[in-house]
Short mmCIF file of all heavy atoms in Angstrom, two decimals:
data_model
loop_
_atom_site.label_atom_id
_atom_site.label_comp_id
_atom_site.label_asym_id
_atom_site.label_seq_id
_atom_site.Cartn_x
_atom_site.Cartn_y
_atom_site.Cartn_z
N PHE A 1 151.67 139.96 93.27
CA PHE A 1 153.00 140.46 92.95
C PHE A 1 153.17 140.48 91.43
O PHE A 1 152.34 139.94 90.70
CB PHE A 1 154.08 139.58 93.59
CG PHE A 1 154.03 139.53 95.09
CD1 PHE A 1 153.37 138.50 95.75
CD2 PHE A 1 154.62 140.53 95.84
CE1 PHE A 1 153.30 138.47 97.13
CE2 PHE A 1 154.56 140.50 97.23
CZ PHE A 1 153.89 139.47 97.87
N GLN A 2 154.30 141.07 90.99
CA GLN A 2 154.60 141.12 89.57
C GLN A 2 155.74 140.17 89.26
O GLN A 2 156.54 139.81 90.12
CB GLN A 2 154.99 142.55 89.17
CG GLN A 2 153.86 143.56 89.34
CD GLN A 2 154.28 144.95 88.94
OE1 GLN A 2 155.48 145.24 88.82
NE2 GLN A 2 153.31 145.81 88.73
N ALA A 3 155.80 139.74 88.01
CA ALA A 3 156.91 138.89 87.57
C ALA A 3 158.22 139.60 87.86
O ALA A 3 158.38 140.79 87.58
CB ALA A 3 156.78 138.57 86.09
N GLY A 4 159.16 138.87 88.41
CA GLY A 4 160.44 139.44 88.81
C GLY A 4 160.53 139.65 90.30
O GLY A 4 161.63 139.71 90.87
N ASP A 5 159.37 139.75 90.98
CA ASP A 5 159.37 139.95 92.42
C ASP A 5 159.86 138.73 93.19
O ASP A 5 160.18 138.82 94.37
CB ASP A 5 157.96 140.31 92.92
CG ASP A 5 157.58 141.75 92.62
OD1 ASP A 5 158.48 142.52 92.26
OD2 ASP A 5 156.39 142.09 92.76
N GLU A 6 159.91 137.57 92.51
CA GLU A 6 160.36 136.35 93.20
C GLU A 6 161.79 136.48 93.72
O GLU A 6 162.19 135.76 94.65
CB GLU A 6 160.23 135.13 92.29
CG GLU A 6 161.05 135.18 91.01
CD GLU A 6 160.31 135.83 89.85
OE1 GLU A 6 159.26 136.45 90.11
OE2 GLU A 6 160.78 135.71 88.71
N LYS A 7 162.55 137.41 93.17
CA LYS A 7 163.92 137.64 93.66
C LYS A 7 163.92 138.11 95.11
O LYS A 7 164.91 137.94 95.82
CB LYS A 7 164.62 138.68 92.78
CG LYS A 7 164.89 138.22 91.35
CD LYS A 7 165.58 139.30 90.53
CE LYS A 7 164.65 140.47 90.29
NZ LYS A 7 165.23 141.49 89.37
N ARG A 8 162.80 138.66 95.55
CA ARG A 8 162.71 139.18 96.92
C ARG A 8 162.63 138.06 97.97
O ARG A 8 162.74 138.32 99.16
CB ARG A 8 161.51 140.10 97.04
CG ARG A 8 161.57 141.28 96.09
CD ARG A 8 160.25 142.01 95.98
NE ARG A 8 159.92 142.75 97.19
CZ ARG A 8 158.77 143.40 97.38
NH1 ARG A 8 157.83 143.35 96.44
NH2 ARG A 8 158.54 144.05 98.48
N LEU A 9 162.45 136.82 97.52
CA LEU A 9 162.37 135.71 98.45
C LEU A 9 163.67 135.52 99.23
O LEU A 9 163.68 134.90 100.30
CB LEU A 9 162.02 134.41 97.71
CG LEU A 9 160.58 134.28 97.23
CD1 LEU A 9 160.42 133.03 96.37
CD2 LEU A 9 159.63 134.23 98.41
N THR A 10 164.76 136.03 98.71
CA THR A 10 166.05 135.90 99.40
C THR A 10 166.24 137.00 100.44
O THR A 10 167.21 136.97 101.20
CB THR A 10 167.22 135.96 98.39
OG1 THR A 10 167.15 137.21 97.69
CG2 THR A 10 167.12 134.81 97.39
N ASN A 11 165.30 137.93 100.50
CA ASN A 11 165.39 139.04 101.44
C ASN A 11 164.67 138.68 102.74
O ASN A 11 163.47 138.46 102.75
CB ASN A 11 164.76 140.30 100.82
CG ASN A 11 164.90 141.53 101.69
OD1 ASN A 11 164.42 141.55 102.81
ND2 ASN A 11 165.53 142.56 101.16
N ARG A 12 165.42 138.61 103.84
CA ARG A 12 164.83 138.17 105.11
C ARG A 12 163.75 139.12 105.61
O ARG A 12 162.76 138.69 106.19
CB ARG A 12 165.93 138.01 106.17
CG ARG A 12 166.60 136.65 106.14
CD ARG A 12 167.50 136.46 107.33
NE ARG A 12 168.84 136.93 107.06
CZ ARG A 12 169.83 136.90 107.93
NH1 ARG A 12 169.62 136.45 109.14
NH2 ARG A 12 171.04 137.32 107.60
N PHE A 13 163.93 140.42 105.39
CA PHE A 13 162.92 141.39 105.81
C PHE A 13 161.62 141.18 105.05
O PHE A 13 160.52 141.20 105.63
CB PHE A 13 163.45 142.81 105.58
CG PHE A 13 162.49 143.89 106.01
CD1 PHE A 13 162.38 144.26 107.33
CD2 PHE A 13 161.68 144.53 105.07
CE1 PHE A 13 161.48 145.25 107.73
CE2 PHE A 13 160.78 145.52 105.45
CZ PHE A 13 160.69 145.88 106.79
N PHE A 14 161.73 140.96 103.74
CA PHE A 14 160.55 140.71 102.92
C PHE A 14 159.81 139.46 103.40
O PHE A 14 158.59 139.44 103.50
CB PHE A 14 160.95 140.55 101.45
CG PHE A 14 159.84 140.10 100.54
CD1 PHE A 14 158.88 141.00 100.12
CD2 PHE A 14 159.75 138.79 100.12
CE1 PHE A 14 157.84 140.59 99.29
CE2 PHE A 14 158.72 138.37 99.29
CZ PHE A 14 157.77 139.28 98.88
N ARG A 15 160.56 138.42 103.71
CA ARG A 15 159.94 137.17 104.15
C ARG A 15 159.22 137.38 105.48
O ARG A 15 158.09 136.91 105.65
CB ARG A 15 160.98 136.06 104.27
CG ARG A 15 161.60 135.63 102.94
CD ARG A 15 162.49 134.42 103.12
NE ARG A 15 161.70 133.23 103.35
CZ ARG A 15 161.38 132.33 102.42
NH1 ARG A 15 161.79 132.50 101.18
NH2 ARG A 15 160.66 131.28 102.71
N LYS A 16 159.83 138.09 106.42
CA LYS A 16 159.21 138.28 107.72
C LYS A 16 157.98 139.17 107.63
O LYS A 16 156.94 138.87 108.21
CB LYS A 16 160.20 138.88 108.71
CG LYS A 16 159.57 139.14 110.09
CD LYS A 16 160.55 139.76 111.07
CE LYS A 16 159.85 140.03 112.40
NZ LYS A 16 160.74 140.66 113.40
N MET A 17 158.10 140.27 106.91
CA MET A 17 157.05 141.28 106.90
C MET A 17 155.89 140.94 105.95
O MET A 17 154.76 141.39 106.17
CB MET A 17 157.63 142.64 106.51
CG MET A 17 158.70 143.15 107.47
SD MET A 17 158.13 143.31 109.18
CE MET A 17 156.90 144.60 109.00
N ILE A 18 156.16 140.16 104.91
CA ILE A 18 155.14 139.94 103.89
C ILE A 18 154.93 138.46 103.56
O ILE A 18 153.83 137.92 103.75
CB ILE A 18 155.49 140.71 102.59
CG1 ILE A 18 155.56 142.21 102.89
CG2 ILE A 18 154.48 140.42 101.48
CD1 ILE A 18 156.01 143.06 101.72
N PHE A 19 155.97 137.80 103.09
CA PHE A 19 155.80 136.46 102.53
C PHE A 19 155.36 135.42 103.56
O PHE A 19 154.46 134.62 103.31
CB PHE A 19 157.09 136.00 101.85
CG PHE A 19 156.98 134.67 101.16
CD1 PHE A 19 156.28 134.55 99.97
CD2 PHE A 19 157.56 133.54 101.71
CE1 PHE A 19 156.16 133.33 99.33
CE2 PHE A 19 157.45 132.31 101.07
CZ PHE A 19 156.75 132.21 99.88
N ASN A 20 155.98 135.41 104.73
CA ASN A 20 155.67 134.38 105.72
C ASN A 20 154.22 134.43 106.18
O ASN A 20 153.59 133.40 106.42
CB ASN A 20 156.60 134.50 106.94
CG ASN A 20 158.02 134.10 106.62
OD1 ASN A 20 158.29 133.50 105.58
ND2 ASN A 20 158.95 134.43 107.50
N SER A 21 153.66 135.63 106.27
CA SER A 21 152.27 135.75 106.70
C SER A 21 151.32 135.21 105.64
O SER A 21 150.28 134.61 105.95
CB SER A 21 151.93 137.21 107.04
OG SER A 21 152.06 138.04 105.90
N ILE A 22 151.67 135.42 104.37
CA ILE A 22 150.83 134.89 103.28
C ILE A 22 150.87 133.36 103.30
O ILE A 22 149.83 132.70 103.21
CB ILE A 22 151.30 135.42 101.91
CG1 ILE A 22 151.24 136.95 101.88
CG2 ILE A 22 150.43 134.84 100.79
CD1 ILE A 22 151.81 137.55 100.60
N ARG A 23 152.06 132.80 103.44
CA ARG A 23 152.19 131.34 103.50
C ARG A 23 151.41 130.77 104.67
O ARG A 23 150.71 129.75 104.55
CB ARG A 23 153.66 130.93 103.62
CG ARG A 23 154.47 131.09 102.37
CD ARG A 23 155.12 129.78 101.90
NE ARG A 23 154.17 128.79 101.42
CZ ARG A 23 154.50 127.70 100.74
NH1 ARG A 23 155.76 127.47 100.44
NH2 ARG A 23 153.61 126.83 100.33
N ALA A 24 151.50 131.42 105.83
CA ALA A 24 150.79 130.95 107.02
C ALA A 24 149.28 130.94 106.78
O ALA A 24 148.57 129.99 107.16
CB ALA A 24 151.14 131.82 108.22
N ASP A 25 148.77 131.98 106.15
CA ASP A 25 147.33 132.06 105.90
C ASP A 25 146.87 130.99 104.90
O ASP A 25 145.79 130.42 105.04
CB ASP A 25 146.96 133.45 105.37
CG ASP A 25 147.05 134.51 106.46
OD1 ASP A 25 147.16 134.14 107.65
OD2 ASP A 25 147.01 135.71 106.12
#
């Protein structure tokens, strides 16, 4: 990701579709 993308952590869709899978792996 790029700097500034951390703001997307508050987006539930982003967490479900992208972030949660990375954390799980």
Side-chain angles (χ1 to χ4, degrees):
F1 299 96
Q2 296 180 344
D5 283 347
E6 61 271 13
K7 293 180 292 187
R8 301 167 71 185
L9 287 173
T10 59
N11 184 300
R12 274 190 271 179
F13 181 81
F14 172 77
R15 294 187 73 99
K16 178 181 179 181
M17 299 302 295
I18 300 175
F19 184 73
N20 290 347
S21 63
I22 301 174
R23 286 238 69 166
D25 288 347

